[in-house]
């Protein structure tokens, strides 16, 4: 395995001066070697479940009579759930994730949400990604964190239609989206090596042009934004081409899109790129109709999430990164307690979050939202999601949470010894 | 009193230029050819805009060929999205009325319905025809028909919604995304409106009303109470003052700038006119395109090119005739699968189009189209042939031609000199021995085209 020092030493693209991309930031140079005792070299992987995940069929209060009453067709039977304790259990499709309880590596935070929840996908997703309920939001919580501290990171895009999330907006240098290492390169048709160099120099020079301002794409500096994005991309691309292409996982990954992207994260971590932040999304959770119960559409989605995260954790654990990694899931809202007439569920509010890693508090945090005290048919949140973010920012990334979140939120105890 | 929406008139201080023609053709079409740029420069704004609004002259076979290609035999219900996208791209590449296709793209993004869930290419095709029919027509009619459009009914679960068991999906997006925007309705309005949309299903490929499954009770929506059906709720939404503002704001973003929010008074004046015209979209578009504001700094290069605009702009500029299928496949990497938008909100557009990976794919697609190595595109959009056609012989003429065609020469002087230096220096390369002098010359010229297309300025619209 190459170390990040080898990696940086082998890099050839120098001389960007003040515009050095975040990917190559000072932290990468200064970061302690992996595995060194006391190295505060933590990694955060955010997994976004897009569309509003049905929390009630994810973390199931199997003993509650109201659950069966509200979910006559899509409810999961008591004997099918993967029990977490004597009152709640995970959906049966999440066996892999439930298995991490034995490793003390799974934390389930129950009843997470925010006051006056919006049931618009887009508004609510903005609230979660910006960590703000302000009417207009332009920056993401991770983007703001990156202003405080350079944490090299990647948005692991599924390609196609997926764009970089609001959560990452606001960072001093745009966090690059990567679909695969092989695709992440600038091609040329050149007569010889010198010709190739001349072409690349021209392309890079145009990107370097007058770039001076911020990475924020507003108004007059739109060209500036294109240039900085290009500059960061070309530099990152050159580095990535130096990363080993044949990655052998220590633990098998399922053949799903999410698993492939988490495998890419493992590859980037293992190659010593210094990357500490990853963002990945899985769409399809907007199950208004034909959601299914123990099997079906929603079960398949949960299986993909559970299988991918468990494989990723096991792969990294086998490489000695168990205590460096924290995977966190969220969705913009949960769904209505009572199923609708289409064997699906309409938009709701509070839902659970998962955190996975060697240092998370194992087991359940918070209590399941009451099914007898609904608000407009929706579960009521007990934990503000920003309290989870506060723990992640302060205790995991070492970033001042108050500066990012705008006010003090009491961190939820999601990490051991915290 | 003059306002920003008064028509632009060329003056000595603010003359009609090649940049303005290029700008107009990027926004009101999919980029210009060399001939269109020259003609536009000669004709002036009024006549050029007339031509874009009117479209034509129509090639006699255009619609017939397009319909033939869309026959059920060629595009059965199970057709994949890429195939369907290729069909539309073929229209966009060859249309005599690019503005109408452009607005169809706007409405496709507005009603953002995806084949991924609809799973019926015939329904998607019909929805395309619906938005194309009203692209420059009456928005009220478009919204009414959309509510019982089969693809939409599957996409937002209207077909699943019956009396006593309403599904809220369509009612919510009708208000949030199709007519009013967030903040202009309540959750109660949505739940009530959802009842009005019960009892609609699809029969023989058409929206159908099934009275026995409809909730015919009283509903109270946006302050109006009555025994509402789908069309009543749609009308109630359209009558809200928020509706014309919402559409005007969105169209502003599409035609003028996707980086800066316009001042309220600019939008209000468009909205007033839109309502007064009976929601005549053509008039609204015309007002914007003719305006002083449109030809000013608030609009010029204030948009990031969308993937369709990027790819089609290159092919049209080079007067090429590439296959629409490989083009549709390439667009998937650039972030725009036609007929498969990412969510009901559509593509975010603007700066979100560029994320590193998509930027690299753009540069590599420009290479594939202009180069010789990618068999998908062959040499059917050949920069060398276009140079010859327009009589460009020297290196300087070639550089000037590409910079003029794609960027109307609006680049820093260093960029121009770097491009000329490249053409000069490239002569010194060690070319493979089997290359003829013509191969060598063509390589340099093709590379000059590719390098022009990689310039940051070309990413802007």
């Amino acid at each position: 395995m190459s170390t990040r020092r080898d990696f940086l030493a082998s890099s050839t693209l120098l001389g960007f001066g003040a515009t050095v991309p975040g990917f190559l930031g000072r932290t990468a140079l200064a970061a302690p070697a992996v595995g060194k005792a006391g190295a505060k070299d933590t990694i955060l992987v955010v997994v976004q479940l897009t569309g509003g995940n049905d929390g009630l069929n994810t973390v199931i209060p199997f003993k509650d009579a109201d659950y069966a009453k509200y979910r006559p067709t899509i409810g999961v039977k008591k004997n099918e759930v993967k029990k977490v304790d004597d009152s709640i259990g995970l959906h049966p499709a999440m066996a892999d994730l439930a298995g991490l309880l034995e490793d003390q590596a799974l934390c389930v935070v129950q009843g997470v949400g925010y006051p006056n929840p919006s049931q618009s996908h887009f508004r609510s997703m903005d609230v979660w990604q910006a960590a703000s309920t302000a009417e207009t939001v332009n920056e993401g919580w991770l983007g703001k964190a990156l202003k405080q501290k350079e944490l090299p990171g990647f948005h692991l895009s599924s390609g196609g239609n997926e764009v970089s999330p609001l959560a990452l907006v606001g960072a001093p240098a745009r966090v690059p989206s990567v679909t695969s290492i092989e695709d992440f390169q600038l091609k040329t048709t050149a007569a010889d090596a010198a010709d190739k160099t001349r072409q690349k120099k021209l392309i890079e020079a145009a990107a370097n042009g007058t770039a001076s301002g911020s990475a924020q794409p507003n108004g007059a500096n739109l060209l500036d934004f294109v240039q900085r994005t290009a500059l960061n991309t070309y530099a990152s691309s050159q580095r990535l081409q130096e990363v080993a292409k044949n990655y052998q996982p220590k633990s098998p990954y399922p053949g799903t899109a999410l698993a492939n992207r988490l495998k890419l994260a493992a590859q980037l971590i293992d190659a010593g790129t210094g990357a500490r932040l990853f963002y990945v999304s899985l769409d399809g959770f907007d199950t208004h109709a034909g959601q299914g119960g123990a099997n079906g559409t929603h079960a398949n989605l949960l299986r993909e999430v559970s299988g991918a995260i468990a494989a990723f954790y096991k792969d990294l654990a086998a490489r000695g990164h168990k205590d460096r990694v924290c995977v966190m899931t969220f969705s913009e809202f949960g769904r209505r307690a009572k199923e609708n007439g289409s064997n699906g569920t309409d938009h709701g509010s509070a839902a659970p979050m998962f955190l996975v890693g060697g240092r998370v508090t194992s087991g359940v945090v918070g209590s399941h939202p009451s099914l007898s005290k609904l608000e407009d048919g929706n579960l009521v949140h007990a934990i503000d999601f920003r309290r989870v973010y506060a723990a992640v920012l302060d205790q995991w990334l070492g970033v001042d949470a108050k500066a990012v979140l705008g006010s003090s939120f009491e961190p939820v105890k999601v990490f051991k010894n915290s | 009193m003059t306002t920003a929406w008064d028509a632009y008139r060329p003056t000595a201080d603010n003359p009609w230029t090649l940049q303005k023609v290029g700008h107009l053709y990027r926004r009101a079409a999919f980029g210009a050819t060399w001939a269109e740029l020259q003609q536009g420069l000669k004709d002036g704004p009024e006549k050029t805009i007339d031509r874009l609004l009117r479209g034509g002259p129509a090639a006699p076979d255009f619609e017939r060929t397009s319909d033939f290609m869309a026959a059920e035999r060629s595009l059965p219900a199970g057709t994949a999205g890429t195939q369907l996208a290729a069909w539309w791209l073929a229209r966009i590449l060859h249309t005599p009325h690019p503005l109408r296709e452009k607005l169809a793209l706007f409405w496709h993004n507005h009603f953002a319905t995806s084949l991924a869930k609809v799973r019926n290419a015939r329904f998607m095709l019909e929805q395309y025809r619906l938005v194309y029919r009203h692209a420059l027509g009456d928005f009220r009619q478009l919204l009414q028909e959309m509510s019982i459009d089969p693809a939409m009914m599957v996409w937002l679960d209207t077909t699943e919604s019956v009396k006593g068991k309403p599904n809220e999906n369509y009612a919510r997006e009708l208000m949030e995304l199709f007519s009013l925007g967030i903040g202009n309705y309540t959750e109660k309005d949505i739940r009530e409106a959802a009842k009005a949309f019960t009892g609609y299903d699809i029969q023989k490929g058409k929206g159908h009303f099934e009275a026995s499954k409809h909730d015919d009770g009283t509903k109270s929506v946006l302050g109006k109470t009555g025994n509402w059906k789908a069309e009543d709720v749609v009308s109630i939404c359209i009558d809200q003052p928020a509706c014309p503002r919402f559409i005007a704001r969105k169209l502003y973003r599409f035609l003028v700038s996707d980086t800066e929010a316009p001042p309220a008074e600019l939008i209000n004046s468009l909205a007033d006119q839109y309502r007064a015209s009976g929601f005549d979209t053509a008039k609204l578009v015309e007002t914007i395109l003719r305006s002083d504001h449109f030809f000013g700094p608030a609009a010029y290069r204030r948009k990031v090119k969308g993937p369709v605009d990027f790819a089609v702009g290159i092919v049209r500029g080079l007067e090429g005739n590439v296959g629409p299928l490989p083009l549709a496949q390439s667009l998937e990497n650039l972030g725009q699968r036609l007929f498969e938008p990412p969510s009901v909100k559509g593509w975010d557009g603007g700066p979100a189009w560029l994320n590193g990976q998509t930027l690299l794919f753009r540069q590599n697609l420009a290479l594939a189209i202009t180069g010789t190595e990618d068999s998908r595109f062959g040499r059917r959009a050949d920069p060398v042939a276009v140079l010859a056609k327009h009589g460009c012989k020297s290196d300087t003429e070639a550089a000037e031609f590409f910079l003029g065609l794609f960027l109307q020469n609006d680049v820093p002087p260093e960029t121009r000199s770097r491009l000329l230096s490249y053409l000069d220096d490239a002569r010194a390369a060690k070319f493979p021995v089997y290359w003829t002098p013509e191969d060598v010359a063509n390589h340099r010229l093709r590379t000059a085209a590719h390098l022009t297309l990689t310039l940051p300025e070309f990413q802007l619209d």
Side-chain angles (χ1 to χ4, degrees):
Chain A
M1 191 192 85
S2 59
T3 70
R4 90 198 49 192
R5 283 194 178 78
D6 296 338
F7 181 68
L8 287 164
S10 73
S11 64
T12 51
L13 193 85
L14 294 171
F16 280 111
T19 61
V20 64
F23 176 60
L24 291 175
R26 288 185 299 278
T27 32
L29 286 162
V34 175
K36 188 179 161 195
K40 189 81 179 152
D41 200 13
T42 52
I43 294 161
L44 176 67
V45 182
V46 177
V47 178
Q48 171 180 312
L49 312 179
T50 310
N53 176 39
D54 183 11
L56 191 51
N57 261 19
T58 303
V59 176
I60 299 166
F62 57 85
K63 270 194 176 159
D64 196 322
D66 283 335
Y67 173 73
K69 192 177 87 191
Y70 288 146
R71 303 273 169 113
T73 62
I74 65 165
V76 177
K77 302 278 175 301
K78 197 182 292 189
N79 59 352
E80 291 175 319
V81 301
K82 299 289 167 195
K83 283 183 189 160
V84 176
D85 62 23
D86 55 12
S87 66
I88 64 148
L90 300 191
H91 188 285
M94 303 193 94
D96 289 340
L97 206 59
L100 296 187
L101 284 166
E102 285 171 32
D103 301 351
Q104 304 274 301
L106 173 68
C107 175
V108 182
V109 188
Q110 303 207 83
V112 190
Y114 58 92
N116 306 313
S118 169
Q119 282 157 48
S120 155
H121 289 294
F122 311 108
R123 167 64 185 161
S124 198
M125 191 55 99
D126 282 355
V127 168
W128 276 83
Q129 292 201 9
S132 164
T133 52
E135 202 167 311
T136 312
V137 289
N138 305 312
E139 289 188 335
W141 70 289
L142 294 168
K144 284 187 201 159
L146 290 168
K147 278 187 198 169
Q148 273 187 49
K149 191 169 188 172
E150 280 184 50
L151 299 165
F154 291 98
H155 165 228
L156 305 170
S157 165
S158 59
N161 277 319
E162 192 182 329
V163 300
S164 191
L166 172 67
L168 297 172
V169 173
R174 199 167 170 81
V175 176
S177 298
V178 180
T179 305
S180 78
I181 291 180
E182 299 79 69
D183 286 334
F184 202 75
Q185 57 179 312
L186 179 67
K187 293 180 188 159
T188 55
T189 305
D192 63 2
D195 189 23
K196 190 184 189 80
T197 305
R198 277 194 290 269
Q199 291 183 32
K200 291 210 163 171
K201 264 176 81 177
L202 190 148
I203 294 170
E204 281 161 10
N208 214 6
T210 53
S212 56
S214 74
Q216 299 313 301
N218 43 29
N221 59 14
L222 194 56
L223 183 62
D224 202 50
F225 158 76
V226 175
Q227 288 175 320
R228 288 184 63 91
T229 301
L231 199 60
N232 195 10
T233 301
Y234 299 147
S236 303
S237 156
Q238 195 152 336
R239 295 302 178 287
L240 284 196
Q241 297 317 308
E242 292 152 20
V243 168
K245 280 183 183 143
N246 299 314
Y247 183 71
Q248 294 301 325
K250 297 270 188 190
S251 176
Y253 285 78
T256 61
L258 184 62
N260 281 338
R261 280 177 277 153
L262 290 182
K263 188 159 71 180
L264 176 57
Q267 184 177 358
L268 291 166
I269 292 166
D270 194 59
T273 59
R276 293 182 55 191
L277 186 62
F278 297 91
Y279 199 100
V280 59
S281 310
L282 180 66
D283 203 347
F285 288 86
D286 195 22
T287 49
H288 282 278
Q291 169 174 331
N295 296 296
T297 308
H298 187 237
N300 293 340
L301 287 163
L302 293 180
R303 188 173 297 110
E304 179 164 358
V305 172
S306 157
I309 293 175
F312 175 71
Y313 171 75
K314 286 178 187 161
D315 184 15
L316 286 186
R319 289 169 196 278
H321 301 312
K322 176 165 89 74
D323 290 345
R324 287 185 60 208
V325 68
C326 170
V327 182
M328 182 186 91
T329 72
F330 81 97
S331 187
E332 71 266 39
F333 44 62
R335 307 191 76 84
R336 201 79 43 84
K338 202 174 161 194
E339 67 180 53
N340 65 20
S342 326
N343 300 333
T345 44
D346 290 321
H347 301 180
S349 41
M353 294 172 75
F354 293 114
L355 289 96
V356 169
R359 293 181 43 78
V360 305
T361 310
S362 190
V364 178
V365 170
S367 50
H368 200 282
S370 164
L371 288 178
S372 55
K373 288 185 196 133
L374 302 176
E375 226 171 71
D376 277 342
N378 291 325
L379 301 171
V380 180
H381 82 279
I383 295 177
D384 192 301
F385 72 96
R386 288 165 289 189
R387 293 183 52 207
V388 179
Y389 284 8
V392 168
L393 289 165
D394 267 334
Q395 297 160 16
W396 192 249
L397 296 178
V399 168
D400 177 13
K402 192 177 169 188
V404 171
L405 303 173
S407 53
S408 279
F409 286 88
E410 187 201 344
V412 179
K413 191 175 159 37
V414 291
F415 295 110
K416 285 169 189 152
N417 312 322
S418 63
Chain B
M1 193 189 94
T2 59
T3 78
W5 298 118
D6 286 350
Y8 160 68
R9 304 262 177 252
T11 61
D13 289 342
N14 187 12
W16 180 240
T17 58
L18 201 63
Q19 279 92 5
K20 287 196 170 72
V21 187
H23 169 70
L24 175 63
Y25 267 87
R26 283 193 297 274
R27 302 295 173 85
F30 297 88
T33 61
W34 185 253
E36 284 166 337
L37 285 173
Q38 303 308 321
Q39 189 69 41
L41 191 60
K42 206 176 104 204
D43 288 345
E46 203 172 334
K47 206 169 157 189
T48 308
I49 295 168
D50 283 346
R51 186 161 50 233
L52 284 160
L53 286 167
R54 197 174 55 232
D61 286 347
F62 175 70
E63 287 297 346
R64 206 170 32 167
T65 308
S66 182
D67 283 348
F68 179 75
M69 298 305 290
E72 192 153 6
R73 203 167 35 138
S74 311
L75 296 178
T79 302
T82 318
Q83 225 87 24
L84 209 53
W87 174 81
W88 190 0
L89 281 170
R91 289 184 61 88
I92 290 173
L93 284 167
H94 304 295
T95 177
H97 201 171
L99 179 61
R100 195 161 166 194
E101 293 294 350
K102 189 109 182 182
L103 265 292
L105 190 57
F106 170 77
W107 292 119
H108 174 51
N109 191 42
H110 183 74
F111 291 108
T113 302
S114 173
L115 179 68
K117 178 170 172 185
V118 175
R119 289 170 179 271
N120 184 322
R122 302 307 299 174
F123 287 180
M124 296 304 295
L125 199 61
E126 282 311 310
Q127 191 186 81
Y128 163 81
R129 286 178 166 145
L130 171 59
V131 296
Y132 185 74
R133 193 156 62 242
H134 298 299
L136 288 164
D138 181 346
F139 172 69
R140 294 169 308 188
Q141 195 62 31
L142 175 57
L143 192 59
Q144 286 290 0
E145 290 182 39
M146 188 56 77
S147 297
I148 47 165
D149 168 71
M152 180 57 80
M153 291 171 77
V154 177
W155 175 232
L156 293 181
D157 302 307
T158 312
T159 53
E160 304 288 328
S161 195
V162 293
K163 183 178 181 174
K165 296 175 171 181
N167 188 308
E168 294 170 13
N169 212 0
Y170 185 73
R172 177 183 304 280
E173 305 310 4
L174 169 69
M175 294 185 196
E176 182 179 339
L177 299 171
F178 302 158
S179 67
L180 301 177
I182 208 156
N184 294 304
Y185 56 86
T186 65
E187 285 296 316
K188 178 125 192 307
D189 289 321
I190 288 171
R191 292 185 190 204
E192 287 286 293
K195 294 183 200 165
F197 287 102
T198 54
Y200 293 82
D201 58 14
I202 301 166
Q203 286 190 12
K204 296 180 182 152
K206 302 268 178 225
H208 168 83
F209 179 63
E210 186 64 51
S212 66
K213 293 182 179 167
H214 176 71
D215 180 343
D216 59 2
T218 304
K219 301 108 186 164
S220 193
V221 181
L222 295 160
K224 306 241 179 206
T225 305
N227 179 9
W228 308 129
K229 284 190 182 160
E231 65 259 37
D232 303 314
V233 171
V234 173
S235 292
I236 289 169
C237 289
I238 292 173
D239 287 343
Q240 295 286 307
C243 179
R245 283 202 299 269
F246 183 69
I247 302 298
R249 191 175 294 278
K250 210 159 168 184
L251 197 63
Y252 182 96
R253 199 177 141 80
F254 185 75
L255 288 175
V256 181
S257 164
D258 54 22
T259 45
E260 271 168 313
E265 52 284 12
L266 275 187
I267 293 303
N268 290 342
S269 113
L270 286 180
D272 291 347
Q273 188 207 312
Y274 198 31
R275 174 179 293 290
S277 74
F279 290 85
D280 182 337
T281 306
K283 281 200 179 141
L284 181 61
V285 169
E286 178 172 359
T287 299
I288 294 172
L289 293 183
R290 291 203 191 276
S291 70
D292 210 41
H293 189 69
F294 177 77
F295 287 107
Y300 184 68
R301 284 188 181 167
R302 293 297 170 93
K303 271 178 60 108
V304 175
K305 266 200 182 90
V308 170
D309 293 276
F310 178 83
V312 173
I314 295 172
V315 176
R316 281 184 54 89
L318 295 175
E319 302 170 44
N321 189 23
V322 303
L325 193 59
L327 206 59
Q329 282 159 346
S330 309
L331 287 181
E332 294 180 4
N333 287 333
L334 268 53
Q336 193 167 30
R337 295 165 172 252
L338 294 175
F339 293 107
E340 295 178 72
S343 76
V344 65
K345 196 172 59 154
W347 292 279
D348 286 347
W353 286 127
L354 294 182
N355 66 19
Q357 182 77 75
T358 54
L359 180 74
L360 290 171
F361 279 131
R362 282 179 181 219
Q363 313 296 41
N364 295 344
L365 176 61
L367 180 69
I369 293 176
T370 53
T372 56
E373 291 188 351
D374 197 311
S375 57
R376 293 175 305 161
F377 297 105
R379 291 188 197 177
R380 289 179 295 171
D382 189 351
V384 175
V386 177
L387 286 174
K389 179 176 172 183
H390 296 284
C392 301
K393 293 196 177 71
S394 69
D395 281 3
T396 312
E397 284 171 346
E400 294 293 342
F401 178 81
F402 292 133
L403 290 172
L405 175 63
F406 291 118
L407 296 163
Q408 292 80 53
N409 306 309
D410 191 3
V411 291
E414 308 88 73
T415 299
R416 182 187 315 277
S417 53
R418 280 193 205 109
L419 196 59
L420 285 166
S421 304
Y422 171 79
L423 281 163
D424 207 25
D425 295 345
R427 293 173 195 277
K430 285 196 186 61
F431 294 98
V433 287
Y434 52 87
W435 282 26
T436 65
E438 199 191 358
D439 288 340
V440 171
N442 291 351
H443 166 74
R444 291 166 49 251
L445 297 174
R446 286 201 181 92
T447 304
H450 176 234
L451 292 174
T452 304
L453 297 171
T454 63
L455 295 174
E457 289 85 355
F458 189 68
Q459 301 301 334
L460 301 183
D461 226 351

